Amino acid sequence: MTLPLWASALVATLIVQTISSFATIAIPLLGPPLMARAGLPPEGIGLVSAMTSAGICWCLACGGPMLGHHGPVRTLQIGLACTALGLFVLSQPLGLPALLGALAIGFGAAPNTPAGSQILMRAAPRRHRTLIFSIKQAGVPLGGALAGLIVAPLVAGQGLSAALWMLIAVSLLTILVVQPFRRRLDGERGETRPGWARAFLSPAALLRSASILRSHPTLPLLTALGASFSVMQACLMAFTATYLVTRHGASLAEAGRTMAAMQGASMLGRIAMGWLADRMGQAMRHLVLQAAASALAVGLLVTLGGQGGWLLQGCAMLVGFTAIGWNGVHIAELARVAPAALVSDVTSAASLFGFLGSIGGPLAFTLLVGWTGRYDLAFLLVAAQLAGCGLACWLLRPREA
């Protein structure tokens, strides 16, 4: 391979991130037909989202030994295989037991953050590091945009099962696509860990995830802010399509286009925010201001978006640019302040708490909508918690942050 090391690292991680996101974000978009087949109300898609996040948390908490044993690229390939398995289970008419498929999908998506950070922290030039991390994280909304543009029309034309089998095939094909990168990027693996599989049943791994975040004074605040952003992002991903279909009478294809617009703007937002953070410095201040802007954008979406048309698309794009465009800056800052030997461990631990927010957020959202019947109120409350968390982190920040 003739690409520079940093380019090889970026290409491999971006491909996997995009396809993993494509498969994962397609599931909430398929919410109405999936829930109808399972005999659940439309807002039951929050259960699927929560189970996916639970799988991510499980892998992030206990998957460090697997990453050390296999190396980052092989771990990403294992994640893609788990995603394909989860999609297969979800494609079966099993009712509630099919939710185990969502758990496997989450398990498969989890390695993208720690494995990607380990690869990029070693390969990315220091002066462009946040931008490179942000480009890699732009694979999340890129995959989401592809899901919005491809999956809904495929369901309309070929049915739910065809869409799920397409996602399975793409996930398996990607394992082969990234294989040529493995020898170069997995060349610096640590010592083999024969007992890596047993770690997934170890309660001690959860305690270690919490204790490792004390290795730098800024890490607890960054973790809390990331968890708050994750609550917001998980609720947007899980409920926006269902909100538009059930409350505003949009077709599944129209909801898919809106989600594609949101994800496309998020892709641009992640890259733009990464470039800006590299130029301006002070990532904590940047993230706090972005939290406030995200809360305002979500408020506009629920107050003006109901009018449909270009106004809905514009509000969705603003939400994507702000509320879903934060992740690259956040992960790069985690990697920057973490001790060099603990980059993957710190990003895993912080992401674990973020995905705990991704479990609790959709569950609370589901309960609130079931109690009040109002999606707009639930979205506004989620936006308020993000703005409040951003303010608290700014007031409590260490002086050097």
Side-chain angles (χ1 to χ4, degrees):
M1 299 183 65
T2 59
L3 290 175
L5 181 63
W6 70 266
S8 295
L10 180 57
V11 168
T13 55
L14 180 60
I15 289 172
V16 177
Q17 185 73 79
T18 301
I19 298 305
S20 179
S21 173
F22 175 60
T24 304
I25 294 177
I27 302 305
L29 185 59
L30 297 174
L34 271 176
M35 294 301 97
R37 189 172 69 175
L40 297 172
E43 60 268 22
I45 191 64
L47 298 175
V48 176
S49 178
M51 288 291 287
T52 301
S53 295
I56 292 173
C57 290
W58 182 23
C59 186
L60 288 173
C62 306
M66 178 177 70
L67 177 58
H69 180 78
H70 291 289
V73 175
R74 178 63 82 204
T75 300
L76 292 173
Q77 291 174 308
I78 292 171
L80 289 165
C82 289
T83 297
L85 175 62
L87 288 165
F88 173 76
V89 174
L90 207 59
S91 71
Q92 305 305 303
L94 301 174
L96 284 175
L99 292 177
L100 293 175
L103 187 72
I105 291 170
F107 192 95
N112 288 305
T113 298
S117 293
Q118 181 173 315
I119 293 169
L120 294 179
M121 195 66 187
R122 187 175 76 237
R126 182 182 298 272
R127 62 186 180 135
H128 300 304
R129 183 175 292 156
T130 305
L131 176 60
I132 289 173
F133 269 80
S134 296
I135 292 173
K136 179 259 184 183
Q137 289 303 122
V140 176
L142 175 58
L146 292 172
L149 293 173
I150 295 172
V151 173
L154 185 59
V155 173
Q158 303 295 326
L160 178 62
S161 295
L164 290 168
W165 278 106
M166 179 273 294
L167 295 169
I168 292 169
V170 170
S171 299
L172 294 176
L173 180 61
T174 306
I175 295 174
L176 301 178
V177 170
V178 299
Q179 177 61 27
F181 295 94
R182 182 174 178 248
R183 176 173 295 181
R184 191 177 191 193
L185 298 179
D186 279 359
E188 296 185 12
R189 286 181 298 176
E191 297 181 1
T192 59
R193 304 184 187 184
W196 63 269
R198 292 194 299 271
F200 288 107
L201 300 177
S202 171
L206 291 172
L207 298 176
R208 183 173 183 271
S209 295
S211 64
I212 204 168
L213 293 173
R214 295 199 296 266
S215 59
H216 189 280
T218 307
L219 285 174
L221 294 179
L222 283 170
T223 300
L225 190 54
S228 184
F229 267 113
S230 295
V231 169
M232 181 80 265
Q233 181 172 322
C235 291
L236 287 168
M237 292 296 96
F239 295 103
T240 299
T242 298
Y243 170 56
L244 295 175
V245 171
T246 61
R247 294 298 185 267
H248 295 295
S251 68
L252 193 61
E254 290 170 333
R257 286 193 294 271
T258 301
M259 293 297 291
M262 184 184 293
Q263 295 288 349
S266 172
M267 179 176 60
L268 296 176
R270 292 185 185 214
I271 296 172
M273 296 299 178
W275 177 86
L276 183 62
D278 273 337
R279 304 283 79 76
M280 301 296 293
Q282 295 190 327
M284 175 64 81
R285 180 179 65 180
H286 178 105
L287 288 167
V288 167
L289 291 174
Q290 194 167 347
S294 300
L296 291 173
V298 172
L300 289 175
L301 177 66
V302 298
T303 55
L304 302 179
Q307 300 181 36
W310 66 267
L311 196 56
L312 170 62
Q313 297 294 318
C315 290
M317 292 175 69
L318 183 60
V319 166
F321 195 89
T322 55
I324 316 178
W326 60 280
N327 197 253
V329 176
H330 183 257
I331 290 177
E333 182 65 5
L334 287 170
R336 185 187 72 82
V337 302
L342 298 176
V343 169
S344 62
D345 292 326
V346 165
T347 51
S348 291
S351 298
L352 166 64
F353 286 94
F355 282 106
L356 288 174
S358 297
I359 297 173
L363 286 176
F365 197 107
T366 298
L367 293 173
L368 186 58
V369 171
W371 179 43
T372 66
R374 293 184 57 183
Y375 281 82
D376 56 348
L377 177 61
F379 276 123
L380 290 173
L381 287 175
V382 171
Q385 66 81 31
L386 177 57
C389 184
L391 177 60
C393 287
W394 180 250
L395 294 175
L396 296 172
R397 75 194 187 284
R399 287 184 178 273
E400 66 272 16

